[in-house]
Amino acid sequence: MASPEVINLEPAAIIGFDGHVIAGLRIHPDGKHLVFPLGNEISIYELESNRQTFLRGHTNTISTVDISPNGKMVASGQTNHMGFRAFVIIWDWQSRKEISRHELHRVKVQSLCFSCNEQYLLSLGGKDCGSIIVWDIEQNMAICGTIATKETTGDATKVCALNQRWTTFVSGGDQNLRVWHIDRDRKRLNVQDVAVGKLRREFTGMRITENDNILYVGTMSGDVVKIGLNVSTNPNAPAQDKVPVLLGCFGKHNPRKPVGKDCEKYHYGVRDLLILPDGKLIIGAGDGIIDMVQERGVSFKNYNSPTWPQFKSLQSTKVGGVITSLQIVNQCTLLIGTDGCEIYSLEIQCFGSSLRLLKTCHTNAVYDIAFPYNFSLVFATSSHESIRIWSTSRMQELLRIVVPNFASSSIVFSRDGKSIISAWNDGVIRAFTPLTGKLIYAIPNAHNKGCSSVAVTSNGKILVSGGIEGQVRVWKIEPYVQSMIGVLKEHYGPIESVHINSFDTEVVSASRDGSCVIWDLIRLTRKHVIFAHTQFIAAQYYPTGVQILTAGSDKLISYWESFDGSLVREVEGSKSGPINAIDMNMTGEYFVSAGTDQVVRLWNYQLGMEVAVGIGHASAITSARYSPNGKFLVTGSTDGGIFVWTVPEQYHIKISTKEANSGVSTRKGTADSATKHKPCTQLVVGKSSNENVREIESARSTHSSQIAKCPNVDMTVQPTIDPRVDVTTLADDAQQQELLETRSVHSQKSQIFE
């Protein structure tokens, strides 16, 4: 059979915002779109409809973004590996196409800005480059360039264009603040240092008044420097001899303290600031403070500090994280970007009461992704210090469960959707309610070196966990006690994944010691061992349970018989790195793989061939999951980005209308267990047992997100051990009969490959 044509997977949405990029959040002049970097792509986010489009062309992480004054162009710069050149790309806004690019900077592009007439693009290189380049957009060429700083000062970190004079711009950084003039005829840059006297500051955010008279610059010392630029009123005039001068260094006035001690600086520096039309300033600080201030107009001739208490605070609020971007939409709404990768909106008129979380994402690696059983409207992700539930329709966070200082390595929903079970690196297994995030139960010391993976049976009564120490443990879950009923010891390396087959009779564990073990979940004994020259990272049963799919560090995807552990097929799953995640759809026709090479691959299971490829992640992919309806994929990476990929229509699950209405999947060899088994009852305590993840969409308003903090777990308590339990007694009557019937299914080798 001829190999199918490999097509491109398109991301339907990217949940994320790179808040570490200084001034990375931008508002388009139309007031309807946000522009911000996401790894090596630029996201254009429509505020009203929540739609996203992307600009793709960078080869590495984007480090800076700017929009031209009329909104016709977008410019972006990137970082690159040491010794390589970094791209600057100019994009056309209407067509979303690349206009031009250059790679004149080394390693990193630190800052970008357009001239006010959109004729020039000014780019500043990072510390390995240190040069300023003036790029003529119309002629598509560099006019001039020079080193941005003197040898006696630190690095420059910011460039800012004037609002009226298109040949003048300002640069600033560590102990340097300079005004530049472009001499087009001589193709050179003339520079004047701002006369700041003995003032030594590391300058951060810059804003220039509309008439180009005054420059306000934030500093890492926590104050704001006011500069008189002394530029000519004629924009066409050449460079002048007047030197820009310091008008003052201002802090916040505290009227409750005596004169001389009434000046307060902003903690962790002034990171960004805005100038309002009425002359007031909005200041964003490193500790999350947002302050609206105005100048008092007081003279300080003999003040005992170089920083004067000139600012009067009018209104103030606080957000979580270091503020990296401030933008205003339609002169009434303030947007705030933080290094916690969150975007807040704030109405300027009602400063303190209108703070709303607009977008959020993980700041660390996404270790696992989980969907509720047969429900695709929401999914959960696990990362450092948090578990989050997301809406697939709105692409927004619905619930965040916070466990400070620890990371969740694996999560799974119970079959009935009434609990989220998670494994944590402190060795605790925690179960939470899906609507309010309350702790249902916790199993302390479940694994002495950290719990790395978890799986649960369809009736929710048996839990299987894997640990860093190499043990697989089986737990009985009851309303008031969770007891260990078996310890399976064969591995000597960390357990990367555990997966239970669809009949709840077997579990396969994948370990970095180079082996996968198939365990009999009824007798709690080993059935088969799979060995390979690799570190196994993922293993999963085929829906009928007759085969197992594995992946690991050898870049191969392997098919194994679960009957005897024999190898059936091997295919190359990656060209340049380990495969970190695999997942099959409900019918087993297609599966997804992803890994360190940052590529998402969709495979035909029967043919063992790629049918679609998705490229977009800017770092190694750590998790991937197929949606229950088979229409999209979700992947997570080490930088915290979450990509939602649209599966091409020809690769959707083939299901009839009658089956879709009855909720029966087309698994080969078995019907959906929801129609054969008795209704499941989740063992939860108290009122929280009424919560179900299927109700979370309707329980949240359009933009609300609930944050729940997990209480501390008593780590001195040891888990209860109950070795006398017969696992078959924990199944329902209908399940017991099915378990007996399925033993005959497993006694025959699969006939998948004819």
Side-chain angles (χ1 to χ4, degrees):
M1 181 182 293
S3 61
E5 181 184 356
V6 178
I7 61 177
N8 290 326
L9 289 173
E10 294 295 331
I14 302 178
I15 300 175
F17 161 64
D18 193 351
H20 298 90
V21 176
I22 303 301
L25 176 64
R26 298 284 181 168
I27 296 293
H28 192 267
D30 63 9
K32 299 178 180 179
H33 295 87
L34 293 182
V35 178
F36 52 86
L38 270 174
N40 55 8
E41 297 183 353
I42 298 174
S43 173
I44 300 175
Y45 178 77
E46 192 172 343
L47 289 169
E48 294 181 358
S49 63
N50 291 338
R51 293 179 182 174
Q52 277 182 308
T53 55
F54 306 99
L55 303 179
R56 303 184 182 94
H58 284 283
T59 58
N60 212 319
T61 306
I62 294 172
S63 56
T64 180
V65 175
D66 192 35
I67 303 176
S68 63
N70 293 332
K72 295 179 180 179
M73 292 175 288
V74 176
S76 55
Q78 70 174 59
T79 59
N80 210 339
H81 303 291
M82 189 64 68
F84 291 88
R85 298 277 178 173
F87 285 113
V88 172
I89 302 180
I90 303 173
W91 311 84
D92 180 70
W93 176 260
Q94 290 296 333
S95 63
R96 306 288 200 266
K97 301 293 184 182
E98 179 182 321
I99 298 175
S100 63
R101 70 166 64 196
H102 71 76
E103 47 178 349
L104 301 176
H105 293 289
R106 294 188 299 272
V107 184
K108 182 179 181 180
V109 182
Q110 184 70 37
S111 181
L112 290 169
C113 70
F114 285 93
S115 62
C116 59
N117 67 346
E118 301 187 353
Q119 182 179 357
Y120 305 118
L121 176 68
L122 315 167
S123 58
L124 172 66
K127 63 181 181 180
D128 298 292
C129 178
S131 61
I132 289 179
I133 303 293
V134 180
W135 184 264
D136 190 305
I137 298 172
E138 185 177 349
Q139 296 187 6
N140 195 23
M141 62 177 289
I143 297 175
C144 53
T146 186
I147 300 299
T149 61
K150 296 185 293 187
E151 294 182 356
T152 56
T153 64
D155 300 320
T157 58
K158 179 81 172 176
V159 288
C160 182
L162 271 65
N163 298 309
Q164 305 293 333
R165 291 178 60 98
W166 53 84
T167 58
T168 306
F169 64 96
V170 182
S171 71
D174 185 9
Q175 299 184 34
N176 66 85
L177 194 59
R178 317 183 87 184
V179 178
W180 302 81
H181 177 78
I182 303 171
D183 190 342
R184 178 62 188 262
D185 296 333
R186 299 182 181 180
K187 293 186 177 180
R188 69 178 188 182
L189 287 170
N190 300 318
V191 63
Q192 289 178 316
D193 287 291
V194 178
V196 294
K198 296 182 179 180
L199 195 69
R200 296 292 180 266
R201 294 288 187 272
E202 182 179 348
F203 298 104
T204 54
M206 300 180 184
R207 297 291 173 175
I208 301 173
T209 56
E210 194 65 31
N211 57 10
D212 290 342
N213 289 336
I214 302 297
L215 166 68
Y216 289 97
V217 191
T219 73
M220 287 300 293
S221 301
D223 45 25
V224 176
V225 175
K226 183 178 181 181
I227 305 294
L229 291 176
N230 288 330
V231 294
S232 172
T233 56
N234 181 12
N236 295 310
Q240 56 190 24
D241 296 330
K242 291 183 179 180
V243 178
V245 296
L246 174 70
L247 300 180
C249 184
F250 302 154
K252 186 167 57 173
H253 174 61
N254 187 344
R256 289 174 289 186
K257 291 187 177 181
V259 176
K261 298 181 180 180
D262 56 344
C263 183
E264 290 185 353
K265 294 183 179 181
Y266 292 93
H267 296 294
Y268 306 109
V270 174
R271 301 305 179 97
D272 203 0
L273 66 161
L274 290 173
I275 304 175
L276 298 179
D278 57 2
K280 298 174 183 175
L281 297 181
I282 294 180
I283 294 174
D287 60 351
I289 289 291
I290 308 289
D291 220 355
M292 180 188 290
V293 300
Q294 69 178 10
E295 293 187 41
R296 298 168 59 206
V298 181
S299 178
F300 299 94
K301 290 185 177 180
N302 299 315
Y303 200 78
N304 59 1
S305 171
T307 304
W308 303 338
Q310 186 68 269
F311 287 145
K312 177 184 178 182
S313 179
L314 303 177
Q315 298 183 79
S316 183
T317 188
K318 188 175 183 178
V319 299
V322 177
I323 294 169
T324 56
S325 304
L326 290 177
Q327 293 282 290
I328 288 185
V329 184
N330 300 326
Q331 302 298 324
C332 60
T333 303
L334 178 67
L335 294 183
I336 306 144
T338 72
D339 72 342
C341 299
E342 295 178 328
I343 300 176
Y344 294 87
S345 69
L346 180 66
E347 298 299 326
I348 296 178
Q349 296 300 324
C350 42
F351 210 80
S353 60
S354 61
L355 187 65
R356 180 166 56 89
L357 181 62
L358 191 64
K359 289 184 73 70
T360 182
C361 69
H362 289 290
T363 57
N364 295 84
V366 179
Y367 297 113
D368 198 11
I369 301 169
F371 279 91
Y373 179 74
N374 224 8
F375 189 69
S376 302
L377 291 181
V378 299
F379 64 91
T381 56
S382 65
S383 182
H384 180 65
E385 294 190 337
S386 69
I387 293 173
R388 307 189 189 206
I389 298 181
W390 307 86
S391 166
T392 57
S393 59
R394 291 180 277 173
M395 298 302 169
Q396 290 179 339
E397 183 186 72
L398 301 176
L399 174 66
R400 185 188 314 174
I401 303 170
V402 179
V403 181
N405 304 321
F406 298 111
S408 174
S409 54
S410 179
I411 51 172
V412 64
F413 283 93
S414 62
R415 177 68 67 91
D416 58 7
K418 293 185 177 180
S419 66
I420 311 169
I421 304 166
S422 56
W424 296 79
N425 64 349
D426 61 347
V428 180
I429 298 173
R430 295 175 172 89
F432 302 96
T433 58
L435 296 188
T436 58
K438 294 180 180 179
L439 183 67
I440 302 174
Y441 63 82
I443 306 176
N445 300 298
H447 292 270
N448 55 16
K449 291 185 179 180
C451 190
S452 58
S453 55
V454 68
V456 66
T457 57
S458 57
N459 63 4
K461 296 180 180 180
I462 295 295
L463 188 69
V464 180
S465 63
I468 302 296
E469 79 287 346
Q471 294 184 5
V472 177
R473 298 187 175 185
V474 185
W475 308 84
K476 180 178 68 172
I477 307 301
E478 293 180 305
Y480 295 100
V481 64
Q482 298 79 42
S483 54
M484 184 170 64
I485 58 178
V487 180
L488 308 177
K489 301 179 182 179
E490 288 287 343
H491 297 289
Y492 59 86
I495 307 295
E496 289 294 327
S497 74
V498 290
H499 189 254
I500 301 173
N501 69 357
S502 56
F503 306 106
D504 295 340
T505 57
E506 293 179 358
V507 59
V508 59
S509 57
S511 173
R512 285 191 177 270
D513 63 3
S515 68
C516 285
V517 179
I518 302 172
W519 307 93
D520 189 324
L521 199 53
I522 306 300
R523 301 180 180 88
L524 298 182
T525 58
R526 187 191 76 186
K527 294 185 69 174
H528 302 290
V529 183
I530 296 170
F531 289 109
H533 295 291
T534 182
Q535 295 180 347
F536 284 109
I537 300 175
Q540 186 177 18
Y541 276 100
Y542 190 76
T544 58
V546 295
Q547 286 190 343
I548 294 171
L549 199 65
T550 65
S553 60
D554 62 353
K555 300 177 284 188
L556 297 177
I557 299 173
S558 304
Y559 298 59
W560 308 83
E561 290 283 359
S562 60
F563 173 72
D564 58 1
S566 61
L567 180 64
V568 178
R569 170 191 282 167
E570 282 185 339
V571 296
E572 187 180 30
S574 172
K575 299 289 185 183
S576 60
I579 301 170
N580 298 326
I582 55 174
D583 191 46
M584 277 182 266
N585 66 2
M586 292 287 286
T587 61
E589 294 178 87
Y590 301 98
F591 68 92
V592 59
S593 70
T596 307
D597 62 355
Q598 305 173 18
V599 179
V600 180
R601 292 179 168 88
L602 184 63
W603 300 80
N604 183 302
Y605 187 90
Q606 299 279 0
L607 302 178
M609 295 180 179
E610 291 182 35
V611 295
V613 172
I615 299 175
H617 279 282
S619 60
I621 303 172
T622 51
S623 54
R625 195 68 62 195
Y626 227 115
S627 66
N629 61 13
K631 294 182 178 179
F632 58 92
L633 314 167
V634 181
T635 56
S637 56
T638 55
D639 60 2
I642 302 170
F643 280 60
V644 180
W645 306 87
T646 301
V647 174
E649 191 172 349
Q650 61 265 39
Y651 304 130
H652 287 183
I653 295 174
K654 308 299 186 297
I655 185 170
S656 65
T657 306
K658 182 177 179 181
E659 289 171 331
N661 293 333
S662 63
V664 181
S665 72
T666 56
R667 288 184 176 180
K668 297 180 180 180
T670 182
D672 191 333
S673 59
T675 62
K676 295 185 68 177
H677 297 163
K678 293 181 180 179
C680 298
T681 55
Q682 176 62 30
L683 305 170
V684 240
V685 183
K687 296 181 180 179
S688 59
S689 61
N690 294 325
E691 294 187 18
N692 195 301
V693 71
R694 295 173 182 268
E695 303 166 1
I696 192 169
E697 277 271 302
S698 58
R700 299 280 184 271
S701 63
T702 306
H703 295 288
S704 66
S705 173
Q706 181 165 334
I707 300 177
K709 188 173 182 180
C710 177
N712 294 331
V713 176
D714 186 1
M715 298 300 292
T716 61
V717 177
Q718 295 298 318
T720 305
I721 300 177
D722 189 357
R724 297 168 295 175
V725 173
D726 182 4
V727 181
T728 57
T729 62
L730 298 177
D732 298 329
D733 295 337
Q735 265 190 308
Q736 290 185 32
Q737 182 62 31
E738 185 181 353
L739 294 178
L740 296 175
E741 293 173 357
T742 54
R743 289 178 183 175
S744 61
V745 176
H746 290 269
S747 65
Q748 301 176 4
K749 297 192 73 171
S750 68
Q751 302 297 324
I752 290 182
F753 302 105
E754 297 179 354

